[in-house]
Amino acid sequence: MMHMPPSPPTLSNTSTFSLPEPSPSRTRTCMDRYTAAAKRSKFIKRLFKLSHMDFQFALWQMYFLFVSPQRVFRDFVYRKQTKNQFARDDPAFLVLLSFFLLVSSVLYGLVMKLSLVLLIKFVIWVVFIDCIGVGVIIASIYWFISNKFLIKNSKSNADVEWAYCFDVHLNAFFPLLTILHIFQLPFLMTIIDHNWYISAVIGNTFWLAAISYYFYNLFLGFNVLPFLTNTKILLYPFTILILVYLLTIGFNINLSRLLMNAYEYRLLSWSL
């Protein structure tokens, strides 16, 4: 008698569904075929093909990084199930972030009344030092901590991709950049750039909000990974952050003015 194969289960809209775990041999074959170098090569090739980028989805991510960042990071988990990687394979977000970084840095430099040469230096510094350079350092630190101390089962093959850590940094950097380079601008030269006490309060509050968004998004990025544990320790910097905020307010230290002075000093002392 011929036995018919069982029909697939019917899923309702409200049911939760997780893909079955692949067998170890199949996983190794897949990983051998699709190495980190292959992923990187594919990403770079797509970087030069605008028609292959989903800018609408990237804009959706930027919006929800403010209003509901959990939704953005849940998409990373879904990508792992469907494409076997947590990190982005579509450079659209990186392209939009680069454009936004360029425009916001130019606006910030104009508010600082920089000359054309200093403005170019400022944009280069923000892009390659503040965003990429600092991002590489932070991504490397979080990559080491998560793989060394936060893996649930140290005997498993699960690990956190470095590219994913850098993606998490980019996600966290976007709200920080928007708060400091866009939302703060109307107050920068009118109220913040003075020796008044209220100037320090407003300027430092912008910094508190920006860095809080940054560390919270970093926490969310690692908290969604199912093979990590004790990720709440990544919230510990909030204690130091609030303490520094209170101390700077108490001693009337204006962080925004300090940053502008530091930028001007670095730009004037740096020759192209």
Side-chain angles (χ1 to χ4, degrees):
M1 178 181 294
M2 181 180 298
H3 295 279
M4 298 299 293
S7 59
T10 304
L11 297 176
S12 62
N13 293 333
T14 58
S15 64
T16 58
F17 175 74
S18 59
L19 294 176
E21 293 292 334
S23 63
S25 60
R26 183 177 179 182
T27 301
R28 286 193 296 269
T29 303
C30 179
M31 294 304 293
D32 291 340
R33 189 187 315 120
Y34 199 51
T35 62
K39 296 175 184 178
R40 183 167 57 251
S41 176
K42 178 183 178 182
F43 185 88
I44 294 175
K45 288 179 180 179
R46 292 190 66 179
L47 193 59
F48 299 97
K49 298 178 180 179
L50 294 179
S51 60
H52 292 187
M53 300 184 195
D54 191 348
F55 289 106
Q56 183 177 358
F57 182 68
L59 288 171
W60 174 90
Q61 289 183 318
M62 288 181 167
Y63 169 74
F64 278 101
L65 281 173
F66 274 101
V67 299
S68 182
Q70 297 92 335
R71 297 183 61 176
V72 178
F73 289 107
R74 282 199 297 266
D75 176 69
F76 281 68
V77 177
Y78 175 75
R79 185 182 299 112
K80 178 64 176 179
Q81 294 176 338
T82 57
K83 299 183 179 180
N84 197 36
Q85 67 180 73
F86 284 107
R88 288 186 176 94
D89 61 340
D90 185 353
F93 184 91
L94 179 60
V95 172
L96 288 180
L97 178 63
S98 301
F99 175 76
F100 189 83
L101 188 61
L102 174 64
V103 173
S104 63
S105 299
V106 169
L107 292 176
Y108 195 93
L110 292 176
V111 170
M112 292 175 61
K113 299 179 180 179
L114 299 177
S115 64
L116 179 60
V117 174
L118 292 181
L119 183 60
I120 294 174
K121 291 181 179 180
F122 176 72
V123 172
I124 294 175
W125 188 283
V126 171
V127 173
F128 291 99
I129 304 298
D130 292 347
C131 182
I132 299 178
V134 174
V136 167
I137 295 173
I138 293 179
S140 300
I141 292 174
Y142 275 74
W143 172 80
F144 174 79
I145 292 175
S146 59
N147 284 308
K148 185 71 175 179
F149 304 107
L150 302 182
I151 299 291
K152 283 183 181 179
N153 184 5
S154 59
K155 296 181 181 179
S156 67
N157 293 326
D159 68 328
V160 181
E161 307 164 1
W162 187 92
Y164 175 76
C165 296
F166 191 74
D167 259 347
V168 172
H169 157 71
L170 294 180
N171 283 349
F173 189 79
F174 175 70
L176 180 146
L177 175 73
T178 305
I179 292 172
L180 294 180
H181 280 201
I182 300 297
F183 296 162
Q184 186 184 214
L185 282 186
F187 304 90
L188 199 58
M189 303 306 295
T190 55
I191 300 177
I192 296 177
D193 192 22
H194 293 281
N195 291 322
W196 309 331
Y197 181 75
I198 189 63
S199 301
V201 173
I202 295 176
N204 293 4
T205 301
F206 273 111
W207 273 93
L208 176 66
I211 300 180
S212 295
Y213 253 109
Y214 183 81
F215 280 117
Y216 181 62
N217 277 310
L218 286 181
F219 161 73
L220 290 177
F222 292 91
N223 190 53
V224 297
L225 300 182
F227 53 86
L228 295 186
T229 185
N230 297 326
T231 53
K232 290 183 178 180
I233 66 172
L234 301 179
L235 293 174
Y236 288 171
F238 276 97
T239 303
I240 301 175
L241 180 61
I242 294 175
L243 180 60
V244 171
Y245 173 76
L246 294 176
L247 288 175
T248 55
I249 292 298
F251 288 98
N252 194 20
I253 300 175
N254 191 328
L255 295 177
S256 293
R257 289 194 74 187
L258 287 178
L259 177 67
M260 287 194 296
N261 293 334
Y263 269 132
E264 290 177 355
Y265 173 78
R266 287 186 296 183
L267 294 175
L268 290 173
S269 60
W270 173 39
S271 58
L272 285 174

